[in-house]
Short mmCIF file of all heavy atoms in Angstrom, two decimals:
data_model
loop_
_atom_site.label_atom_id
_atom_site.label_comp_id
_atom_site.label_asym_id
_atom_site.label_seq_id
_atom_site.Cartn_x
_atom_site.Cartn_y
_atom_site.Cartn_z
N GLU A 103 23.00 0.60 -20.20
CA GLU A 103 24.43 0.89 -20.12
C GLU A 103 25.05 0.03 -19.01
O GLU A 103 24.42 -0.20 -17.96
CB GLU A 103 24.62 2.41 -19.70
CG GLU A 103 24.06 3.41 -20.68
CD GLU A 103 24.71 3.36 -22.05
OE1 GLU A 103 25.92 3.07 -22.09
OE2 GLU A 103 24.02 3.43 -23.09
N PRO A 104 26.28 -0.47 -19.18
CA PRO A 104 26.85 -1.38 -18.11
C PRO A 104 27.26 -0.62 -16.88
O PRO A 104 27.27 -1.21 -15.80
CB PRO A 104 28.11 -1.94 -18.84
CG PRO A 104 28.36 -1.01 -20.00
CD PRO A 104 27.09 -0.39 -20.40
N PHE A 105 27.49 0.65 -16.99
CA PHE A 105 27.71 1.50 -15.78
C PHE A 105 27.14 2.90 -16.02
O PHE A 105 27.07 3.34 -17.15
CB PHE A 105 29.16 1.55 -15.32
CG PHE A 105 30.07 2.36 -16.22
CD1 PHE A 105 30.28 3.72 -16.00
CD2 PHE A 105 30.67 1.78 -17.32
CE1 PHE A 105 31.07 4.44 -16.83
CE2 PHE A 105 31.47 2.49 -18.15
CZ PHE A 105 31.66 3.87 -17.95
N VAL A 106 26.70 3.49 -14.94
CA VAL A 106 26.06 4.81 -15.02
C VAL A 106 26.65 5.72 -14.00
O VAL A 106 26.84 5.36 -12.80
CB VAL A 106 24.54 4.71 -14.79
CG1 VAL A 106 23.88 6.08 -14.83
CG2 VAL A 106 23.90 3.81 -15.79
N THR A 107 27.08 6.93 -14.43
CA THR A 107 27.64 7.95 -13.47
C THR A 107 26.64 9.11 -13.55
O THR A 107 26.22 9.54 -14.64
CB THR A 107 29.04 8.43 -13.89
OG1 THR A 107 29.88 7.32 -13.81
CG2 THR A 107 29.48 9.49 -12.94
N PHE A 108 26.19 9.55 -12.35
CA PHE A 108 25.25 10.69 -12.31
C PHE A 108 25.49 11.52 -11.07
O PHE A 108 26.08 11.08 -10.13
CB PHE A 108 23.77 10.22 -12.39
CG PHE A 108 23.39 9.26 -11.34
CD1 PHE A 108 22.77 9.66 -10.17
CD2 PHE A 108 23.60 7.88 -11.59
CE1 PHE A 108 22.39 8.75 -9.21
CE2 PHE A 108 23.22 6.97 -10.60
CZ PHE A 108 22.61 7.40 -9.45
N LEU A 109 25.04 12.75 -11.10
CA LEU A 109 25.07 13.66 -10.04
C LEU A 109 23.72 13.81 -9.44
O LEU A 109 22.77 14.13 -10.13
CB LEU A 109 25.54 15.08 -10.47
CG LEU A 109 26.98 15.19 -10.91
CD1 LEU A 109 27.21 16.56 -11.53
CD2 LEU A 109 27.96 14.97 -9.81
N LEU A 110 23.62 13.65 -8.13
CA LEU A 110 22.34 13.85 -7.42
C LEU A 110 22.44 15.18 -6.75
O LEU A 110 23.44 15.55 -6.15
CB LEU A 110 22.05 12.80 -6.36
CG LEU A 110 21.55 11.49 -6.83
CD1 LEU A 110 21.12 10.63 -5.59
CD2 LEU A 110 20.43 11.56 -7.75
N GLU A 111 21.36 15.94 -6.80
CA GLU A 111 21.29 17.21 -6.13
C GLU A 111 20.23 17.13 -5.07
O GLU A 111 19.03 16.76 -5.36
CB GLU A 111 20.94 18.37 -7.09
CG GLU A 111 20.95 19.70 -6.43
CD GLU A 111 20.83 20.86 -7.40
OE1 GLU A 111 20.58 20.61 -8.59
OE2 GLU A 111 20.96 22.00 -6.94
N ALA A 112 20.53 17.43 -3.82
CA ALA A 112 19.63 17.43 -2.72
C ALA A 112 19.46 18.90 -2.29
O ALA A 112 20.42 19.63 -2.07
CB ALA A 112 20.13 16.58 -1.55
N ARG A 113 18.17 19.35 -2.16
CA ARG A 113 17.89 20.70 -1.63
C ARG A 113 16.92 20.56 -0.51
O ARG A 113 15.94 19.81 -0.63
CB ARG A 113 17.27 21.55 -2.78
CG ARG A 113 18.22 21.85 -3.91
CD ARG A 113 17.49 22.70 -4.94
NE ARG A 113 18.25 22.88 -6.12
CZ ARG A 113 18.84 24.04 -6.41
NH1 ARG A 113 18.67 25.06 -5.63
NH2 ARG A 113 19.59 24.12 -7.53
N TRP A 114 17.15 21.25 0.50
CA TRP A 114 16.21 21.29 1.69
C TRP A 114 16.33 22.70 2.26
O TRP A 114 17.06 23.56 1.83
CB TRP A 114 16.60 20.20 2.67
CG TRP A 114 17.91 20.28 3.38
CD1 TRP A 114 18.09 20.73 4.69
CD2 TRP A 114 19.17 19.96 2.90
NE1 TRP A 114 19.44 20.70 4.98
CE2 TRP A 114 20.13 20.23 3.92
CE3 TRP A 114 19.64 19.51 1.62
CZ2 TRP A 114 21.47 20.02 3.74
CZ3 TRP A 114 21.05 19.29 1.50
CH2 TRP A 114 21.91 19.50 2.57
N ALA A 115 15.46 22.99 3.27
CA ALA A 115 15.32 24.31 3.79
C ALA A 115 16.66 24.91 4.27
O ALA A 115 16.82 26.14 4.12
CB ALA A 115 14.32 24.29 4.92
N ARG A 116 17.55 24.08 4.79
CA ARG A 116 18.80 24.62 5.32
C ARG A 116 20.02 24.41 4.47
O ARG A 116 21.15 24.71 4.94
CB ARG A 116 19.03 24.05 6.74
CG ARG A 116 17.94 24.42 7.69
CD ARG A 116 18.26 23.96 9.12
NE ARG A 116 18.56 22.53 9.19
CZ ARG A 116 19.28 21.98 10.10
NH1 ARG A 116 19.83 22.70 11.04
NH2 ARG A 116 19.39 20.66 10.13
N GLY A 117 19.84 23.90 3.21
CA GLY A 117 21.09 23.68 2.44
C GLY A 117 20.85 23.01 1.11
O GLY A 117 19.68 22.78 0.67
N ARG A 118 21.96 22.73 0.51
CA ARG A 118 21.94 22.13 -0.84
C ARG A 118 23.25 21.25 -0.91
O ARG A 118 24.24 21.60 -0.29
CB ARG A 118 22.09 23.19 -1.88
CG ARG A 118 22.21 22.71 -3.31
CD ARG A 118 22.24 23.95 -4.27
NE ARG A 118 22.58 23.50 -5.59
CZ ARG A 118 23.76 23.56 -6.18
NH1 ARG A 118 24.76 24.10 -5.49
NH2 ARG A 118 23.98 23.12 -7.32
N LEU A 119 23.10 20.13 -1.55
CA LEU A 119 24.22 19.20 -1.69
C LEU A 119 24.27 18.54 -3.00
O LEU A 119 23.20 18.21 -3.53
CB LEU A 119 24.11 18.10 -0.58
CG LEU A 119 25.06 16.95 -0.50
CD1 LEU A 119 26.48 17.49 -0.20
CD2 LEU A 119 24.63 15.93 0.51
N LEU A 120 25.42 18.38 -3.56
CA LEU A 120 25.54 17.69 -4.87
C LEU A 120 26.59 16.53 -4.62
O LEU A 120 27.61 16.65 -4.02
CB LEU A 120 26.22 18.72 -5.86
CG LEU A 120 26.20 18.40 -7.29
CD1 LEU A 120 24.77 18.35 -7.79
CD2 LEU A 120 26.93 19.46 -8.07
N ARG A 121 26.21 15.33 -5.13
CA ARG A 121 27.06 14.19 -4.86
C ARG A 121 27.05 13.36 -6.16
O ARG A 121 26.01 13.08 -6.77
CB ARG A 121 26.60 13.34 -3.72
CG ARG A 121 27.45 12.10 -3.56
CD ARG A 121 27.63 11.62 -2.23
NE ARG A 121 28.52 10.42 -2.29
CZ ARG A 121 28.54 9.55 -1.39
NH1 ARG A 121 27.80 9.66 -0.27
NH2 ARG A 121 29.38 8.52 -1.45
N GLU A 122 28.23 12.83 -6.56
CA GLU A 122 28.37 11.93 -7.68
C GLU A 122 28.29 10.51 -7.29
O GLU A 122 28.85 10.08 -6.28
CB GLU A 122 29.77 12.21 -8.32
CG GLU A 122 30.01 11.35 -9.52
CD GLU A 122 31.39 11.62 -10.17
OE1 GLU A 122 32.01 12.62 -9.86
OE2 GLU A 122 31.84 10.76 -10.92
N TYR A 123 27.58 9.72 -8.08
CA TYR A 123 27.44 8.23 -7.90
C TYR A 123 27.78 7.56 -9.19
O TYR A 123 27.43 8.07 -10.29
CB TYR A 123 26.03 7.87 -7.45
CG TYR A 123 25.72 8.28 -6.10
CD1 TYR A 123 24.98 9.45 -5.85
CD2 TYR A 123 26.04 7.52 -4.99
CE1 TYR A 123 24.75 9.85 -4.55
CE2 TYR A 123 25.80 7.84 -3.74
CZ TYR A 123 25.10 9.09 -3.49
OH TYR A 123 24.80 9.45 -2.17
N THR A 124 28.47 6.47 -9.13
CA THR A 124 28.74 5.55 -10.27
C THR A 124 28.17 4.21 -9.89
O THR A 124 28.61 3.67 -8.79
CB THR A 124 30.19 5.51 -10.62
OG1 THR A 124 30.59 6.86 -11.03
CG2 THR A 124 30.38 4.54 -11.80
N VAL A 125 27.28 3.63 -10.64
CA VAL A 125 26.85 2.29 -10.35
C VAL A 125 27.23 1.33 -11.51
O VAL A 125 27.18 1.74 -12.65
CB VAL A 125 25.29 2.25 -10.12
CG1 VAL A 125 24.94 2.91 -8.85
CG2 VAL A 125 24.54 2.84 -11.27
N LEU A 126 27.71 0.17 -11.14
CA LEU A 126 28.10 -0.86 -12.12
C LEU A 126 26.98 -1.88 -12.26
O LEU A 126 26.68 -2.65 -11.33
CB LEU A 126 29.40 -1.54 -11.64
CG LEU A 126 30.06 -2.53 -12.55
CD1 LEU A 126 30.41 -1.90 -13.92
CD2 LEU A 126 31.25 -3.13 -11.88
N LEU A 127 26.24 -1.83 -13.34
CA LEU A 127 25.13 -2.68 -13.60
C LEU A 127 25.49 -4.04 -14.18
O LEU A 127 24.69 -4.98 -14.09
CB LEU A 127 24.11 -2.00 -14.52
CG LEU A 127 23.55 -0.72 -13.93
CD1 LEU A 127 22.89 0.09 -15.02
CD2 LEU A 127 22.58 -0.98 -12.83
N ASP A 128 26.66 -4.18 -14.72
CA ASP A 128 27.10 -5.46 -15.36
C ASP A 128 28.44 -5.78 -14.71
O ASP A 128 29.49 -5.67 -15.39
CB ASP A 128 27.18 -5.29 -16.82
CG ASP A 128 27.42 -6.66 -17.51
OD1 ASP A 128 27.20 -7.69 -16.94
OD2 ASP A 128 27.89 -6.59 -18.67
N PRO A 129 28.44 -6.21 -13.45
CA PRO A 129 29.79 -6.46 -12.80
C PRO A 129 30.48 -7.66 -13.43
O PRO A 129 29.89 -8.56 -13.85
CB PRO A 129 29.37 -6.71 -11.31
CG PRO A 129 27.98 -7.21 -11.41
CD PRO A 129 27.34 -6.57 -12.56
N PRO A 130 31.77 -7.62 -13.43
CA PRO A 130 32.67 -8.74 -13.92
C PRO A 130 32.45 -9.90 -13.00
O PRO A 130 32.14 -9.79 -11.81
CB PRO A 130 34.02 -8.15 -13.92
CG PRO A 130 34.04 -7.05 -12.90
CD PRO A 130 32.67 -6.52 -12.94
N LEU A 131 32.69 -11.08 -13.50
CA LEU A 131 32.63 -12.34 -12.72
C LEU A 131 33.92 -12.51 -11.96
O LEU A 131 34.98 -12.27 -12.54
CB LEU A 131 32.37 -13.56 -13.64
CG LEU A 131 31.09 -13.52 -14.42
CD1 LEU A 131 31.02 -14.69 -15.36
CD2 LEU A 131 29.86 -13.52 -13.48
N TYR A 132 33.85 -12.97 -10.76
CA TYR A 132 35.05 -13.23 -9.97
C TYR A 132 35.02 -14.55 -9.40
O TYR A 132 33.98 -15.26 -9.28
CB TYR A 132 35.10 -12.22 -8.80
CG TYR A 132 35.38 -10.79 -9.23
CD1 TYR A 132 34.34 -9.82 -9.17
CD2 TYR A 132 36.60 -10.43 -9.68
CE1 TYR A 132 34.56 -8.57 -9.58
CE2 TYR A 132 36.82 -9.09 -10.07
CZ TYR A 132 35.80 -8.17 -10.02
OH TYR A 132 36.03 -6.90 -10.42
N GLY A 133 36.17 -15.05 -8.98
CA GLY A 133 36.29 -16.34 -8.22
C GLY A 133 35.79 -17.55 -8.98
O GLY A 133 36.15 -17.83 -10.09
N SER A 134 34.87 -18.29 -8.29
CA SER A 134 34.44 -19.57 -8.84
C SER A 134 33.67 -19.44 -10.12
O SER A 134 33.61 -20.39 -10.94
CB SER A 134 33.65 -20.33 -7.79
OG SER A 134 32.48 -19.60 -7.46
N ALA A 135 32.96 -18.32 -10.32
CA ALA A 135 32.18 -18.13 -11.51
C ALA A 135 33.12 -18.13 -12.77
O ALA A 135 32.82 -18.73 -13.79
CB ALA A 135 31.37 -16.80 -11.42
N ILE A 136 34.26 -17.45 -12.64
CA ILE A 136 35.24 -17.49 -13.73
C ILE A 136 35.83 -18.85 -13.84
O ILE A 136 35.96 -19.31 -14.99
CB ILE A 136 36.34 -16.39 -13.43
CG1 ILE A 136 35.76 -15.04 -13.62
CG2 ILE A 136 37.54 -16.58 -14.40
CD1 ILE A 136 36.76 -13.92 -13.38
N SER A 137 36.20 -19.46 -12.81
CA SER A 137 36.77 -20.85 -12.87
C SER A 137 35.84 -21.77 -13.60
O SER A 137 36.23 -22.53 -14.47
CB SER A 137 37.13 -21.37 -11.50
OG SER A 137 37.70 -20.46 -10.74
N THR A 138 34.56 -21.77 -13.20
CA THR A 138 33.59 -22.65 -13.80
C THR A 138 33.42 -22.38 -15.30
O THR A 138 33.45 -23.24 -16.14
CB THR A 138 32.23 -22.55 -13.11
OG1 THR A 138 32.44 -22.75 -11.75
CG2 THR A 138 31.22 -23.47 -13.69
N ALA A 139 33.34 -21.07 -15.66
CA ALA A 139 33.20 -20.72 -17.09
C ALA A 139 34.42 -21.09 -17.83
O ALA A 139 34.37 -21.59 -18.97
CB ALA A 139 32.92 -19.20 -17.17
N THR A 140 35.59 -20.90 -17.24
CA THR A 140 36.86 -21.30 -17.95
C THR A 140 36.93 -22.76 -18.11
O THR A 140 37.29 -23.25 -19.18
CB THR A 140 38.09 -20.75 -17.18
OG1 THR A 140 37.91 -19.36 -16.97
CG2 THR A 140 39.37 -21.03 -17.86
N ARG A 141 36.60 -23.53 -17.04
CA ARG A 141 36.64 -25.04 -17.21
C ARG A 141 35.69 -25.56 -18.35
O ARG A 141 36.05 -26.40 -19.09
CB ARG A 141 36.24 -25.64 -15.85
CG ARG A 141 37.46 -25.70 -14.92
CD ARG A 141 37.18 -26.44 -13.67
NE ARG A 141 36.80 -25.39 -12.75
CZ ARG A 141 35.92 -25.41 -11.78
NH1 ARG A 141 35.33 -26.57 -11.53
NH2 ARG A 141 35.68 -24.44 -11.00
#
Side-chain angles (χ1 to χ4, degrees):
E103 301 296 323
F105 70 92
V106 178
T107 298
F108 56 94
L109 291 172
L110 282 189
E111 183 173 9
R113 292 177 187 255
W114 66 102
R116 297 186 305 153
R118 175 179 173 260
L119 175 66
L120 195 64
R121 176 148 182 202
E122 179 181 345
Y123 289 95
T124 299
V125 292
L126 184 60
L127 297 164
D128 188 21
L131 298 175
Y132 292 106
S134 63
I136 287 180
S137 314
T138 304
T140 304
R141 277 184 265 149

